[in-house]
Structures are given as C-alpha cells and as structure tokens.
C-alpha cells in the first residue's frame, strides 16, 4: 500500500514539474477603484467594471488571450461614483487605475505600464499620475479626454507586446459591416442557440473549441478546464431553453479592424438561458472571427 502511494506521489510530482515547465508567459491586468465608476479595457474588450461599488475594489485578470504581437490599446473609462444618479461631482478620494504586469513562468512579475485616474485641485479627473506619461520605447504616451455624448472620461495608451502566441483571432479576415455579414453573424448565433436549446454539450464544446483551447493555453490549464470553469452542465440542467433574441435590440460590436465581432445589448448577449420561472439567469457572450469565410468563436 505504501509503495502504491509513493508511486502515485512520484507521478503527481512529475506532472507538477512538467506543468511548471509549461507555464506560459502571462500578462496580468490589475484593477483598482475607489469612489469611482471605473471600466477597464484591453483592445476594446471590457475586462473590469465596478459600477455601483464604492470600493476600494481590487482584482486581477490574465489578459493574454486578448493581446497580439505589436501595439495593443490599454484604456480606462471613468466617472464619479454618483454619475449614474445624475451627480457628476468627483469625490476627493476618487481613483480608477490599472497596471499591466508580465509574469514569465515562476518568476516574479515585472510591471510594464499603468494608467491612473485621480482628481486635480479642481476635483476634475486627470491621468497625469500615470507612469511615463509621455511614453517610452515600450509604451505610448497617455491620451485623455471626455468621451463625447457620455458621462465618461477616457485615459488610454498603447503597449507594445513581442512575446505572445499568434492567436487564431489575430490572423482572421476583416469583417466588413454589411447587411449580408450581419445576417451571417445572426445565423452563427442561431446555430449556437440551437445547441443550447437541445443541451448539446458536445456541439457547444466543438463550436467554442478555439476559444476554450487558447484560453487554457494562455493560463497554463489542462484540457477541459475552461469549459468546466463555466459550470455549464449545471446551468443547462436548470435551463428550460434560451431566450429568443430580438435582434433590433442588439448593436454590432467590431474590434481590432474587424477581427473580433459580436452582437451586444448593454452587456447582454443574444445567448441567454431561462429557468423554470421563465426568467433569464445566465448568458454566454462570445466573440466571433471571420476565418476562411466562416464566423467562428475565437474568444
């Protein structure tokens, strides 16, 4: 019995060593907000939001799957914590910030850049506390401005990345915004909705294979772990079907020169499950890319 346990422990230890050697280079976005409405983006993909949480709030996320070789845009959009209630006045302790760090294997993370929004003497937002405000060889200068027609103030910069895998989405064809392509994207959603309605787990996995596999690679996970993290089996058991989308409620989102596209309704996806009370309780909001003439899920 002891011998069997020793063999098992040796095997697991060996697997851990192999896995440690396979740990990928990760780019981590660290998010921090206090007394602010704060949204953080990488290449236009929203990574963090806090909305009504006054904070302080801190979180971290591996953004590697949304990066590509070359220039990448990092941005924050912010407003006063009371802006959604009609009060745009900023609190003196207002803060909204992100930091990008690079972690290689088991080494200590190295900070690459940040964006910091605080208030100035007139209690107006400013990004001047961001590192290397005018930029350097690895990062662009900080740009900041009030977003026209919104309550949001945006601060952004470019970050140059050299050691990232060539993800499938980065090599996608450009999605042209035409009625024909919009209908084609709707059809891709309808095929996915049918899979959710029939609770076809194998079909859902196949449709999402590129996305799941590359996210596992980016995070050093074994095969199947990204799907498991969604707890989709349990959600499908609770579901009685999908909510039929009203397409006029959805706007087309197009990012990175048309290489990432999806329909979106204020953060809600056309793919939503409903429970026995006929209420929506979970959504799947993937990004599609145009690959060899077909729209496939890549994120």
């Amino acid at each position: 019995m002891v011998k069997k346990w020793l063999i098992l422990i040796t095997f697991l230890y060996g697997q851990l060593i192999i896995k440690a050697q396979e740990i990928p280079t990760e780019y981590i976005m660290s998010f921090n907000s206090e007394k602010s409405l704060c949204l953080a983006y990488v290449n236009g993909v929203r990574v963090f939001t806090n909305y009504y949480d006054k904070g302080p709030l801190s979180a971290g996320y591996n953004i590697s799957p949304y990066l590509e070789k070359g220039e990448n845009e990092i941005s924050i959009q912010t407003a006063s914590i009371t802006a959604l209630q009609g009060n745009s006045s900023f609190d003196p302790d207002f803060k909204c910030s992100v930091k990008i760090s690079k972690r290689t294997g088991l080494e200590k993370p190295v900070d690459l850049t940040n964006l910091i929004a605080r208030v100035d003497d007139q209690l107006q937002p400013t990004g001047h506390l961001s590192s290397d405000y005018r930029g350097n060889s690895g990062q662009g200068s900080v740009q900041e401005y009030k977003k026209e027609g919104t309550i949001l103030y945006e601060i952004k910069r470019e970050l140059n990345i050299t050691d990232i895998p060539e993800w499938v989405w980065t090599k996608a064809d450009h999605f042209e915004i035409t009625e024909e392509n919009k209908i084609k994207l709707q059809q891709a959603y309808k095929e996915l909705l049918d899979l959710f309605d029939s609770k076809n787990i194998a079909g859902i996995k196949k449709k999402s294979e590129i996305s799941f596999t590359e996210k596992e690679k980016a995070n050093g996970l074994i095969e199947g772990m990204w799907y498991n993290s969604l707890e989709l089996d349990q959600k499908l058991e609770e579901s009685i079907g999908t909510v039929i989308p009203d397409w006029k409620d959805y706007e087309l989102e197009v990012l990175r020169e048309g290489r990432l596209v999806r329909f979106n309704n204020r953060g809600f996806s056309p793919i939503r499950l409903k429970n026995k009370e006929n209420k929506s309780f979970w959504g799947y909001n993937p990004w599609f890319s145009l690959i060899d003439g077909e729209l496939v899920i890549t994120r």
Side-chain angles (χ1 to χ4, degrees):
M1 186 67 179
V2 173
K3 185 176 181 180
K4 289 182 178 179
W5 275 108
L6 287 173
I7 292 173
L8 177 60
I9 291 170
T10 302
F11 171 77
L12 291 175
Y13 179 70
Q15 293 299 302
L16 287 172
I17 291 175
I18 292 171
K19 204 62 189 171
Q21 293 172 343
E22 295 174 353
I23 294 175
T25 296
E26 297 178 336
Y27 290 88
I28 307 299
M29 174 181 279
S30 301
F31 173 85
N32 185 275
S33 69
E34 185 169 358
K35 297 182 180 179
S36 69
L37 188 158
C38 188
L39 305 92
Y41 297 82
V42 54
N43 285 333
V45 177
R46 187 183 297 179
V47 180
F48 293 111
T49 61
N50 70 334
Y51 286 113
Y52 299 101
D53 193 330
K54 291 184 178 180
L57 177 66
S58 297
Y61 189 75
N62 182 4
I63 60 172
S64 301
Y66 302 97
L67 297 174
E68 61 178 320
K69 289 184 178 180
E71 298 298 319
N72 294 266
E73 184 182 89
I74 309 299
S75 65
I76 53 177
Q77 296 178 9
T78 189
S80 76
I81 190 64
T82 54
L84 294 176
Q85 290 80 48
N87 181 1
S88 60
S89 299
F90 287 86
D91 189 282
D93 294 325
F94 160 92
K95 182 180 181 181
C96 170
S97 69
V98 294
K99 177 179 69 176
I100 309 299
S101 304
K102 176 182 175 181
R103 181 168 59 202
T104 304
L106 300 177
E107 296 177 9
K108 184 178 178 181
V110 176
D111 295 344
L112 300 180
T113 191
N114 65 36
L115 291 171
I116 301 172
R118 300 300 294 260
V119 289
D120 59 20
D121 293 340
Q122 284 73 48
L123 294 182
Q124 294 302 305
T126 176
H128 277 81
L129 292 177
S130 303
S131 63
D132 293 301
Y133 188 84
R134 299 185 183 278
N136 58 36
S137 59
Q139 60 185 332
S141 61
V142 174
Q143 302 174 53
E144 51 181 308
Y145 51 89
K146 177 79 163 55
K147 285 180 68 69
E148 187 176 351
T150 76
I151 62 172
L152 297 169
Y153 190 82
E154 182 165 29
I155 304 172
K156 65 182 182 179
R157 75 190 322 165
E158 297 290 323
L159 177 65
N160 188 273
I161 300 294
T162 57
D163 52 350
I164 199 82
E166 284 194 324
W167 306 121
V168 170
W169 74 262
T170 67
K171 298 176 284 185
D173 298 323
H174 292 200
F175 181 93
E176 300 292 337
I177 303 176
T178 65
E179 286 304 312
E180 181 183 358
N181 276 343
K182 288 181 182 179
I183 292 171
K184 190 172 185 176
L185 181 57
Q186 286 181 12
Q187 183 57 39
Y189 274 102
K190 289 174 183 176
E191 291 175 6
L192 196 54
L193 285 163
D194 288 342
L195 294 174
F196 276 91
D197 277 325
S198 61
K199 302 186 178 182
N200 186 339
I201 292 174
I204 294 169
K205 286 182 176 179
K206 185 172 179 59
K207 285 283 188 184
S208 305
E209 183 178 5
I210 293 172
S211 175
F212 291 172
T213 299
E214 291 193 337
K215 286 177 179 178
E216 287 165 351
K217 178 180 179 179
N219 289 277
L221 302 175
I222 62 174
E223 183 180 348
M225 286 191 71
W226 196 267
Y227 173 83
N228 293 339
S229 72
L230 300 177
E231 298 182 336
L232 188 53
D233 292 14
Q234 178 184 341
K235 291 177 173 65
L236 287 174
E237 284 183 13
E238 299 174 29
S239 170
I240 62 167
T242 59
V243 178
I244 299 174
D246 187 344
W247 294 108
K248 72 176 186 297
D249 293 335
Y250 290 88
E251 295 183 354
L252 179 66
E253 278 190 275
V254 181
L255 300 180
R256 305 307 282 178
E257 301 86 34
R259 289 173 293 159
L260 289 171
V261 297
R262 72 178 181 183
F263 283 116
N264 189 41
N265 177 11
R266 294 175 297 173
F268 291 99
S269 168
I271 302 169
R272 290 180 290 155
L273 299 182
K274 57 186 178 181
N275 57 22
K276 294 177 181 178
E277 287 74 42
N278 215 34
K279 294 181 179 179
S280 171
F281 72 96
W282 184 80
Y284 180 43
N285 205 4
W287 290 94
F288 291 80
S289 298
L290 190 59
I291 309 292
D292 296 329
E294 298 295 325
L295 283 164
V296 298
I297 296 171
T298 56
R299 285 296 173 267

